Amino acid sequence: MDIALGLLVLVAVVCAGSALGRKLNISVPLLLVLAGVAGSFLPFVPPIELNPEVVLVGLLPPLLYAAALRTSLFDFSSNRRAIGLLSVGYVIFGTFAVGFVVWWLFPEIPLAAAIALGAVVAPPDAVAATAIARKVRMPRRIVTILEGESLVNDATALICLRAAIAALSGSVSVTGIAADFLLAAGGGVVVGMAAAYVLTELRKRTRNVAINTATSLIAPLVAYLPAEAIHASGVLAVVVTGLVMGTKAPSMPNGAARLSQRSNWSTVQFLLENAVFLLIGLQVRTIIDGVQGDSLGAGRIWAGCALILLAVLVLRPVWVFPATYLPRLIPAVRRNDPAPPWQVAAVVSWAGMRGVVTLAAVLVLPADLEHRSVLILAALVVVGGTLTLQGFTLPGLVRLLKVQGPDQREDALNQASLMQLATVAGVARLQELRTENDPPEVVAMLKRRTQERGLAAWERLGRPLAETATPSARYAWLRLAMLEAERAKVLELRRGGEYAHEVLSGVLDQLDVEESMLDMALDEVDTSGEGGGEGIARPGGVCAHLESARSPEVPEDPFCANCRREGTTTVHLRMCLACGKVGCCDSSPGSHASRHFEATGHPVMRSIEPGEDWRWCYQDDLLG
């Protein structure tokens, strides 16, 4: 009963804290940590001791798997050098650097135990940094690097921790550590690939949505348990499985199973990652009470923990800046991947919040280890200090350094262009398959519905303030109202008892599917019927600049000269229709197309990306 009540309260606080954080525009992870800290000191809240097995087996694999499912394998691969330097290089560097700082502060603690603490506090949390990164809209490459780092760094840290604990018992050698590392890394990758292959083949052959979804939910343990059984890295196996499954999922059959997987994993991830932050706060009182009476003395312990936190904060930029710029001294690296502005390295340096894995890993230290409670307190101070100092100040640092995230308008334009290309491909396939016996009205209906979906993507660029709602918005509003009336009628008939339950459920399921399709397709459209939403740009309209703009010839090999000169990365190319100047889009770090308009006043540019044929008037904020 106590466990059931505890779970109920945990989920209730997580849901309430998440809703409150979103309403007040406060970081949900930080709010839940503070709620946990306050709860740990309430007299009616029992002391809660975190079981490392629960975190390392029950929480970490599904959290990493959910994150890996969302991570692009192609983006991960294109940033593998930066991810590897952080997830492997920085963790090893931090393990030993922090370990020697701890040993210097507390000589009474064995060096192997100090290095074990270094391994515990070295990896940034798999959830905290990316949760805040998305909230403040960091550039996509920074988010990709932070996500990739958090996916792999736990595996490196746990391998280092295992070696340090073995050193405490005197049963370790340099050769043994190297062999263990190779087994953990290589075995984790092999088991992860094998698990992904088996699960993919099973899901290809399973049409039942419930079985398919259940297979997806057990995937983390299918990868984790065999890897741990052969002393490989279960964490790395889970990450590899998630990356492969996430890449293959869109091409697998059964769209209903894919929707179910996304929905269920979103719920699992929401509950687990937010519960993690609440659990961090609930540990505070228990850990503080644990150091009472330690022979090192309270003042020395707290001062030492503060210096360990300072070392953790300082050592990350000490590693990140050289790791960012030294490889680019090699000409081949510099040509393929120009150095980013120093502001990018600064943001990555400060996005190093630690989380519940740190607290769980430190509890793995032997129970008879002298001054073990001090090491646990140091881990707590690092977790709380980084979440508070870095978590609260990271959004301000991003704004101060003017590190631009992805431009919503640019994303909407690209989404509309991509949908248009998909629509053209669908209509072309229809022309290939149609026969003379196909009813003309069926072909016309297919064409119309496909083209309307593509047009809706362009209409979502609209800003309907004080304007007539777009056709797609009006359609969605009217159809949702119709579905509501249809559902009400079915429920009325259900009360009469004239129809079987299975028949009623089938009709209600069909209505729910159509409503979910409307919600997914038109979630950015104001469907209130009142025209109250704010969009991104205004499509079409009367604009003399668009009408009079000439169409200069597009260069054969276009590039953004400013990006090349400044060493920044180009995302998409745009061309000024007044002078033919080629610049980069607003999702690029330089935003040179917009800066060209600001400098010259030339109002109209066009996309020169393959397959895109649209113009944009900066002055009138119109799409043509």
Side-chain angles (χ1 to χ4, degrees):
M1 180 64 74
D2 290 341
I3 294 176
L5 180 61
L7 289 174
L8 175 62
V9 173
L10 187 72
V11 173
V13 173
V14 162
C15 293
S18 299
L20 181 63
R22 288 177 171 84
K23 184 177 180 63
L24 300 178
N25 198 27
I26 299 173
S27 172
V28 173
L30 299 179
L31 182 63
L32 290 172
V33 169
L34 295 176
V37 172
S40 70
F41 286 97
L42 294 176
F44 55 84
V45 176
I48 296 176
E49 294 187 8
L50 196 63
N51 187 332
E53 189 82 4
V54 171
V55 175
L56 298 179
V57 179
L59 296 181
L60 185 59
L63 276 174
L64 289 175
Y65 183 78
L69 279 177
R70 289 196 331 269
T71 301
S72 166
L73 183 59
F74 306 105
D75 290 343
F76 186 95
S77 177
S78 62
N79 291 283
R80 59 185 179 275
R81 185 187 67 253
I83 292 171
L85 286 171
L86 287 172
S87 61
V88 179
Y90 168 67
V91 170
I92 295 174
F93 167 73
T95 295
F96 285 96
V98 173
F100 281 108
V101 169
V102 174
W103 192 44
W104 173 67
L105 290 169
F106 303 114
E108 299 87 347
I109 296 177
L111 177 59
I115 291 176
L117 178 63
V120 163
V121 301
D125 184 63
V127 177
T130 51
I132 295 176
R134 289 196 184 92
K135 178 179 175 60
V136 300
R137 296 191 62 79
M138 291 185 194
R140 285 199 176 91
R141 188 177 187 191
I142 294 181
V143 176
T144 298
I145 291 172
L146 292 177
E147 284 182 336
E149 176 194 10
S150 66
L151 287 174
V152 181
N153 60 8
D154 287 327
T156 308
L158 292 175
I159 293 169
C160 293
L161 176 61
R162 188 185 303 171
I165 292 175
L168 284 171
S169 62
S171 59
V172 71
S173 64
V174 174
T175 305
I177 292 175
D180 287 345
F181 190 89
L182 290 175
L183 172 62
V189 171
V190 171
V191 171
M193 295 289 289
Y197 174 79
V198 171
L199 290 167
T200 301
E201 292 302 312
L202 282 174
R203 295 189 65 193
K204 280 181 180 178
R205 291 164 172 76
T206 305
R207 302 297 302 177
N208 184 278
V209 174
I211 298 175
N212 215 311
T213 303
T215 304
S216 172
L217 290 176
I218 65 170
L221 292 180
V222 170
Y224 183 87
L225 295 177
E228 288 294 317
I230 64 171
H231 303 291
S233 172
V235 169
L236 191 57
V238 169
V239 169
V240 171
T241 302
L243 286 171
V244 175
M245 295 289 288
T247 302
K248 289 183 174 292
S251 60
M252 285 196 289
N254 201 336
R258 293 196 295 272
L259 289 175
S260 176
Q261 173 183 277
R262 282 198 292 270
S263 175
N264 282 282
W265 271 112
S266 293
T267 303
V268 170
Q269 186 176 15
F270 165 78
L271 289 174
L272 291 186
E273 70 181 18
N274 286 298
V276 156
F277 293 110
L278 186 59
L279 288 171
I280 290 174
L282 289 171
Q283 299 302 297
V284 170
R285 181 181 177 183
T286 302
I287 294 175
I288 291 177
D289 290 343
V291 298
Q292 301 298 325
D294 191 278
S295 61
L296 293 177
R300 185 181 172 198
I301 290 172
W302 284 102
C305 290
L307 289 174
I308 293 170
L309 170 61
L310 179 63
V312 169
L313 295 175
V314 170
L315 287 170
R316 186 166 172 90
V318 166
W319 175 268
V320 167
F321 276 90
T324 300
Y325 295 107
L326 287 180
R328 290 175 171 87
L329 296 178
I330 302 172
V333 174
R334 187 169 60 249
R335 280 194 305 271
N336 295 329
D337 185 15
W342 68 268
Q343 292 91 337
V344 170
V347 170
V348 173
S349 297
W350 199 241
M353 289 76 78
R354 273 62 173 179
V356 74
V357 175
T358 293
L359 287 181
V362 77
L363 296 176
V364 176
L365 293 174
D368 59 350
L369 180 65
E370 192 176 4
H371 306 298
R372 178 175 181 267
S373 59
V374 176
L375 297 178
I376 295 174
L377 178 64
L380 173 67
V381 170
V382 169
V383 171
T386 54
L387 280 174
T388 304
L389 294 174
Q390 295 179 324
F392 275 119
T393 58
L394 183 60
L397 179 67
V398 171
R399 289 191 293 270
L400 178 66
L401 297 181
K402 298 181 179 179
V403 178
Q404 290 185 330
D407 184 73
Q408 288 181 294
R409 180 175 60 190
E410 188 76 26
D411 285 350
L413 289 169
N414 290 327
Q415 183 183 2
S417 297
L418 182 60
M419 184 62 75
Q420 181 178 349
L421 292 174
T423 298
V424 171
V427 173
R429 182 59 174 164
L430 174 64
Q431 297 297 339
E432 293 175 7
L433 296 176
R434 65 176 299 185
T435 65
E436 295 180 356
N437 297 326
D438 289 328
E441 61 273 15
V442 172
V443 176
M445 183 186 300
L446 288 168
K447 277 187 177 181
R448 187 181 72 252
R449 288 187 176 180
T450 304
Q451 290 168 347
E452 284 174 353
R453 185 190 60 190
L455 291 173
W458 289 102
E459 289 168 4
R460 279 200 293 275
L461 302 174
R463 182 173 54 208
L465 287 173
E467 299 174 14
T468 304
T470 62
S472 295
R474 186 62 178 167
Y475 170 86
W477 181 75
L478 291 172
R479 186 60 190 134
L480 287 171
M482 292 171 64
L483 287 170
E484 185 178 350
E486 292 170 21
R487 186 178 292 104
K489 183 62 177 178
V490 175
L491 294 176
E492 177 188 335
L493 294 172
R494 184 179 66 176
R495 287 191 292 271
E498 300 176 14
Y499 295 90
H501 174 73
E502 290 80 3
V503 174
L504 291 163
S505 297
V507 174
L508 290 172
D509 287 346
Q510 292 181 46
L511 297 178
D512 288 342
V513 168
E514 185 173 356
E515 182 177 339
S516 68
M517 291 172 64
L518 281 173
D519 289 340
M520 291 181 62
L522 303 174
D523 58 353
E524 295 179 16
V525 177
D526 173 29
T527 56
S528 64
E530 300 172 0
E534 182 176 349
I536 300 169
R538 287 163 45 194
V542 178
C543 174
H545 305 108
L546 287 172
E547 291 180 352
S548 62
R550 62 190 186 91
S551 298
E553 186 176 349
V554 178
E556 290 186 5
D557 186 20
F559 61 91
C560 178
N562 290 329
C563 280
R564 288 195 176 180
R565 185 173 62 252
E566 297 172 9
T568 55
T569 304
T570 300
V571 178
H572 292 123
L573 289 174
R574 310 292 182 239
M575 185 176 72
C576 174
L577 296 189
C579 64
K581 172 74 174 180
V582 175
C584 59
C585 66
D586 287 348
S587 291
S588 305
S591 301
H592 292 121
S594 294
R595 287 163 63 179
H596 175 71
F597 161 69
E598 294 167 0
T600 63
H602 296 167
V604 181
M605 66 83 172
R606 61 155 293 187
S607 170
I608 54 174
E609 289 296 314
E612 295 186 4
D613 185 20
W614 51 265
R615 299 179 175 191
W616 178 264
C617 178
Y618 286 103
Q619 190 162 320
D620 294 324
D621 199 27
L622 285 171
L623 177 72

